[in-house]
């Protein structure tokens, strides 16, 4: 049975903080719906019961930023792959804060590892949905993958910008991400 509220409670916060992975979903007005698995340590900060910050490193696409320019809705989902069954969905609105923005330092300084950061998403929680999760299988966590963080550590900012200019200016549907422009 689903339990829907309008803010995080301590159970939700404890559950989120114990998870190793989450999923982010956004959609443009028309085009592909995007659903992305996210991991990596120190990328998800709970500010209060209705606000979170999510640090997004650059990668193969930039769908979330493009979608939020058209429709600022975002759903974030956590699943219990170990321990008690639970699925937690956060129904949110969000906006991308990028290095070009005047408030970038305020947001990026909330995170320890800033190298390779592409955006910080400021996310406002409008609904919280806990459901049973009995159909989610159990998995053993082996660790975070190191390939991406090793790449970031062994490359410089100029290389990061070059990559983002090649791969992150448009979504897979050809929608603008406004990564380096207003």
């Amino acid at each position: 049975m689903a339990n829907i509220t309008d803010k995080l409670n301590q159970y939700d916060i404890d559950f989120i903080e114990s998870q190793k992975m989450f999923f982010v979903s956004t959609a443009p007005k028309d085009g592909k719906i995007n659903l992305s698995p996210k991991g990596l340590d120190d990328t998800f900060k709970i500010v209060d019961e209705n606000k979170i910050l999510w640090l997004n490193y650059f990668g193969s696409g930039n769908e979330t930023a493009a979608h939020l320019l058209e429709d600022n809705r975002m759903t974030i989902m956590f699943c219990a792959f170990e321990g008690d069954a639970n699925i937690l969905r956060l129904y949110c609105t969000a906006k991308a804060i990028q290095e070009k923005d005047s408030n970038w330092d305020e947001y990026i300084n909330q995170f320890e590892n800033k190298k390779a950061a592409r955006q910080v998403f400021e996310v406002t929680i409008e609904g919280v949905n806990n459901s049973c999760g009995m159909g989610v299988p159990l998995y053993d966590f082996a660790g975070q993958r190191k390939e991406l963080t090793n790449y970031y550590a062994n490359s410089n900012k100029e290389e990061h910008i070059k990559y983002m200019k090649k791969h992150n200016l448009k979504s897979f549907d050809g929608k603008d991400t406004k990564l380096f422009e207003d």
Side-chain angles (χ1 to χ4, degrees):
M1 186 79 156
N3 178 25
I4 300 173
T5 62
D6 63 353
K7 62 186 175 187
L8 295 172
N9 59 38
Q10 193 58 51
Y11 173 83
D12 301 327
I13 292 168
D14 292 344
F15 179 71
I16 289 168
E17 290 176 346
S18 70
Q19 301 310 303
K20 314 294 190 289
M21 176 174 147
F22 61 98
F23 300 86
V24 174
S25 182
T26 57
K29 291 184 179 176
D30 58 34
K32 295 174 185 67
I33 296 170
N34 189 55
L35 175 62
S36 293
K38 301 295 178 183
L40 302 177
D41 296 327
D42 189 43
T43 60
F44 195 90
K45 299 275 187 197
I46 300 170
V47 176
D48 63 36
E49 61 196 11
N50 286 100
K51 187 182 208 178
I52 59 171
L53 300 177
W54 160 43
L55 174 62
N56 188 23
Y57 296 108
F58 75 84
S60 59
N62 197 6
E63 304 309 286
T64 303
H67 292 176
L68 292 177
L69 291 171
E70 291 188 14
D71 187 339
N72 69 344
R73 294 177 304 147
M74 175 186 286
T75 300
I76 300 173
M77 183 179 76
F78 296 87
C79 296
F81 294 110
E82 57 190 12
D84 295 338
N86 191 34
I87 298 171
L88 176 67
R89 291 177 186 89
L90 306 177
Y91 301 107
C92 312
T93 57
K95 66 178 179 177
I97 309 301
Q98 301 172 357
E99 192 170 0
K100 66 181 180 177
D101 296 324
S102 62
N103 54 353
W104 172 253
D105 288 340
E106 172 190 343
Y107 285 87
I108 195 63
N109 287 332
Q110 300 294 313
F111 299 92
E112 186 177 322
N113 187 4
K114 302 166 183 62
K115 189 169 187 179
R118 179 173 58 196
Q119 293 111 351
V120 174
F121 290 100
E122 180 185 51
V123 183
T124 302
I125 299 167
E126 296 180 341
V128 177
N129 180 350
N130 278 284
S131 57
C132 73
M134 302 279 185
V136 176
L138 293 170
Y139 285 96
D140 291 325
F141 179 68
Q144 295 288 353
R145 295 179 191 271
K146 299 293 182 197
E147 295 87 352
L148 197 56
T149 53
N150 288 343
Y151 172 78
Y152 296 152
N154 294 308
S155 57
N156 61 44
K157 186 166 183 162
E158 290 75 28
E159 291 169 306
H160 300 171
I161 290 170
K162 182 179 178 182
Y163 182 94
M164 286 187 279
K165 285 185 174 181
K166 182 176 181 183
H167 298 284
N168 295 163
L169 298 180
K170 299 280 184 189
S171 73
F172 299 138
D173 288 329
K175 296 177 183 298
D176 198 352
T177 66
K178 303 228 183 264
L179 185 57
F180 295 104
E181 61 187 66
D182 293 329

